[in-house]
Amino acid sequence: MRVRLAVVTAAEEVPWGSVLAPGRGVVYDVLGRVAPELGRRLHEHGEGPHGMAPFGHGAPVFSSARRRPGRYAAGGRGVVEFGSPVPAIVEALAAGFAERELLDWGGVALRLMGLGLVEPPEFADGRAVLRTATPVVMKGSGYSPDGVRGPRQAWVLPTELEWAGYFQGNLRRKAETLGLDAGVSLESVSWVGPKRSFSVGQGAKPGAAVEVELSGAPETLRALWSWGLGQANSAGFGWVAA
């Protein structure tokens, strides 16, 4: 499930370093005020056998803002979404945002105009075509095609050979984290966007938006829609377009 916030701003752009980076801090700030034990557990230990943080978020989107080359356009009315397959997280976020009038998004003031809850699609046939609005990031083995070991923090793109295997493993770990059917599979990659890098915390993470077809139990597919694809969803990566 998602919490969709309607926002408005007088700013004309969001600095590139603040497009995704503030979201994780916003989530933990809200949880710290509304559900401190839950927020502490997620921050310190994560959930399930893999210690994952089962939430994600997108970037603020201002569909009517004037576009300018090299800038992330803002202005007027917009939307920013947060999501999780864990009901307690969504409930806490909805309660916390309902008490606020402003969000500080990396120095950009977003005035909250309203919020709504968005249910995931049913995926009753066990198939889902998901396209991300933010880049999917995945770490690989660090080995080059000729077997030379490089940095362990080696990010792989959807066009590279290792990507599908690591992506598949991430799907399985998410299902295991939530205690859901882990028989979820990547069937195909139908579209890959351009390489993009966003700064979050220390350094930038490179990746690309994708459209993928997945198969699996409907409940697992619904959870992935609510959480995101790939790694670093809590930092805003791999957010699925509704």
Side-chain angles (χ1 to χ4, degrees), residues 139-219:
K139 290 178 184 176
S141 67
Y143 285 96
S144 67
D146 56 2
V148 177
R149 182 69 179 269
R152 183 65 185 90
Q153 292 280 89
W155 302 100
V156 291
L157 296 174
T159 52
E160 298 180 47
L161 291 176
E162 284 190 333
W163 187 88
Y166 279 93
F167 183 85
Q168 176 70 59
N170 180 264
L171 296 175
R172 176 182 51 78
R173 287 192 296 275
K174 283 177 173 170
E176 293 172 348
T177 293
L178 299 168
L180 299 177
D181 186 337
V184 57
S185 298
L186 171 64
E187 299 294 336
S188 66
V189 179
S190 53
W191 173 80
V192 177
K195 180 181 178 181
R196 292 283 187 268
S197 295
F198 285 96
S199 296
V200 288
Q202 297 180 345
K205 298 181 188 296
V210 298
E211 182 178 271
V212 297
E213 181 178 0
L214 307 179
S215 64
E219 188 178 7

Side-chain angles (χ1 to χ4, degrees), residues 28-211:
Y28 280 118
D29 180 62
V30 171
L31 294 180
R33 296 169 188 266
V34 176
E37 287 299 323
L38 174 60
R40 187 176 304 112
R41 186 178 78 243
L42 291 177
H43 187 265
E44 295 179 359
H45 306 292
E47 290 280 88
H50 306 292
M52 303 180 85
F55 68 84
H57 65 85
V61 176
F62 301 89
S63 58
S64 61
R66 180 184 176 187
R67 303 295 183 237
R68 292 185 292 172
R71 306 291 180 91
Y72 189 90
R77 293 184 179 274
V79 171
V80 59
E81 294 182 329
F82 299 81
S84 173
V86 179
I89 296 175
V90 176
E91 291 166 6
L93 291 177
F97 286 131
E99 297 176 353
R100 295 196 173 192
E101 295 183 357
L102 286 173
L103 280 186
D104 179 357
W105 198 268
V108 175
L110 305 180
R111 182 173 295 279
L112 273 61
M113 306 300 291
L115 67 83
L117 298 178
V118 184
E119 294 277 358
E122 291 296 329
F123 302 124
D125 63 352
R127 294 271 172 168
V129 176
L130 306 179
R131 179 180 285 226
T132 64
T134 60
V136 172
V137 296
M138 293 299 306
K139 290 178 184 176
S141 67
Y143 285 96
S144 67
D146 56 2
V148 177
R149 182 69 179 269
R152 183 65 185 90
Q153 292 280 89
W155 302 100
V156 291
L157 296 174
T159 52
E160 298 180 47
L161 291 176
E162 284 190 333
W163 187 88
Y166 279 93
F167 183 85
Q168 176 70 59
N170 180 264
L171 296 175
R172 176 182 51 78
R173 287 192 296 275
K174 283 177 173 170
E176 293 172 348
T177 293
L178 299 168
L180 299 177
D181 186 337
V184 57
S185 298
L186 171 64
E187 299 294 336
S188 66
V189 179
S190 53
W191 173 80
V192 177
K195 180 181 178 181
R196 292 283 187 268
S197 295
F198 285 96
S199 296
V200 288
Q202 297 180 345
K205 298 181 188 296
V210 298
E211 182 178 271

